[in-house]
Amino acid sequence: MRVPMFQVDAFTNRRFAGNPAAVMLFDDFLEDAALQAIAAENNLAETAFLVPYGDDYRLRWFTPTEEVPLCGHATLASAAVVMERLSPQRRRVVFYSTSGALTVDRRSDVYVMNFPARPTKPVEPPPGLTEGLGARPVEAVTDHFNYLVLLETAGQVRRLTPDMAAINRLDRTGVIVTAPGDDGYDFVSRYFAPAKGIPEDPVTGGAHCALTPYWAERLGKTDFRAFQASRRGGEIGCRLLGDRVELTGGCVFYLEGQAEV
């Protein structure tokens, strides 16, 4: 069976930056094992699988090793596929997912996603976290999925070389590291998730669902210009709207074709 496939760089306006995602379209979802095998074959941080659902789409996301409940950059890439390739006249699409209905609007050359916020609570840094990061946290908080660690400076975040084996042994699937921003950004971050088959994710929408309310409380405002300081790097516009988060970014197409599955 041949199916349409796209590879899109998300949260960027230039090719070979941001976070690459595969987007594949099916009439119906294949068995989970088949979807997982396809995601492993694609070997990107995320593969998004789309299935028509009325005028909109159902959406699932897989890393090379597991299905995840939410993925920002692959949702952004999926919106670009729908509104730039499948239905270029559209300005809005709704994706139905395990995280509920996710609305994405096209505004000029960017996309605005509406996601559930992820509030955090303070915790003591768990054993192995400081050693795994190679840096001492100013504070640590957690949501249901990740630890979120504050460092003193953006330079510390940029220079981190974590011990991935140690990070993998923690009792959360990922670690978000953040600090006050530089170069005109409100904050910077990086995200490490070896337990999900992603040692470092280049740009992470889900992490910013926690970072946005976290920095809103620290800085006393609700709109942010954020930068994820991975090797590829990516820019994210963030806005807190009550218990929701708006994440804004651009997309660049890299590959379009068909896959034999």
Side-chain angles (χ1 to χ4, degrees):
M1 175 174 62
R2 292 182 178 270
V3 296
M5 178 175 172
F6 303 82
Q7 187 171 321
V8 181
D9 293 337
F11 290 118
T12 184
N13 58 10
R14 59 186 179 89
R15 198 164 286 111
F16 312 128
N19 201 350
V23 180
M24 302 181 70
L25 285 86
F26 289 88
D27 293 330
D28 204 352
F29 291 121
L30 303 182
E31 295 293 327
D32 290 2
L35 297 179
Q36 188 62 76
I38 293 168
E41 181 74 13
N42 291 339
N43 199 31
L44 297 170
E46 306 284 347
T47 295
F49 297 102
L50 292 179
V51 167
Y53 186 69
D55 293 331
D56 290 296
Y57 294 87
R58 295 166 63 199
L59 174 59
R60 296 172 69 181
W61 311 271
F62 284 74
T63 78
T65 61
E66 65 182 52
E67 185 173 10
V68 295
L70 182 69
C71 177
H73 85 278
T75 303
L76 198 71
S78 298
V81 167
V82 171
M83 289 187 272
E84 293 188 39
R85 295 298 188 267
L86 304 182
S87 303
Q89 76 285 358
R90 290 187 69 152
R91 309 300 294 180
R92 168 174 288 190
V93 62
V94 181
F95 296 114
Y96 294 90
S97 74
T98 54
S99 291
L102 306 175
T103 300
V104 187
D105 291 296
R106 186 178 186 183
R107 299 178 188 172
S108 185
D109 59 348
V110 298
Y111 295 90
V112 181
M113 303 185 294
N114 187 291
F115 281 2
R118 292 179 174 178
T120 57
K121 60 182 181 181
V123 293
E124 287 296 318
L129 178 60
T130 298
E131 295 77 11
L133 290 176
R136 186 168 298 279
V138 174
E139 70 175 16
V141 300
T142 187
D143 60 20
H144 184 67
F145 305 99
N146 303 296
Y147 286 110
L148 192 161
V149 173
L150 176 68
L151 299 184
E152 289 185 358
T153 69
Q156 285 181 291
V157 173
R158 294 176 185 275
R159 292 190 297 270
L160 283 177
T161 55
D163 178 343
M164 292 300 173
I167 299 298
N168 192 36
R169 289 193 292 268
L170 298 174
D171 62 347
R172 293 290 188 274
T173 56
V175 177
I176 307 162
V177 184
T178 190
D182 55 6
D183 297 332
Y185 296 103
D186 293 293
F187 61 86
V188 300
S189 67
R190 291 171 69 186
Y191 181 57
F192 308 105
K196 296 193 288 187
I198 311 168
E200 179 169 6
D201 197 31
V203 196
T204 315
H208 286 78
C209 292
L211 285 161
T212 302
Y214 176 81
W215 282 104
E217 184 174 351
R218 290 190 67 86
L219 299 181
K221 63 178 190 175
T222 56
D223 285 83
F224 307 95
R225 184 168 175 252
F227 184 75
Q228 192 155 331
S230 65
R231 181 181 59 82
R232 292 174 64 99
E235 297 188 13
I236 305 174
C238 307
R239 174 179 293 177
L240 183 64
L241 299 172
D243 63 354
R244 307 288 295 183
V245 170
E246 276 190 353
L247 302 178
T248 302
C251 284
V252 180
F253 282 78
Y254 170 70
L255 179 152
E256 302 180 43
Q258 291 183 322
E260 185 83 41
V261 299

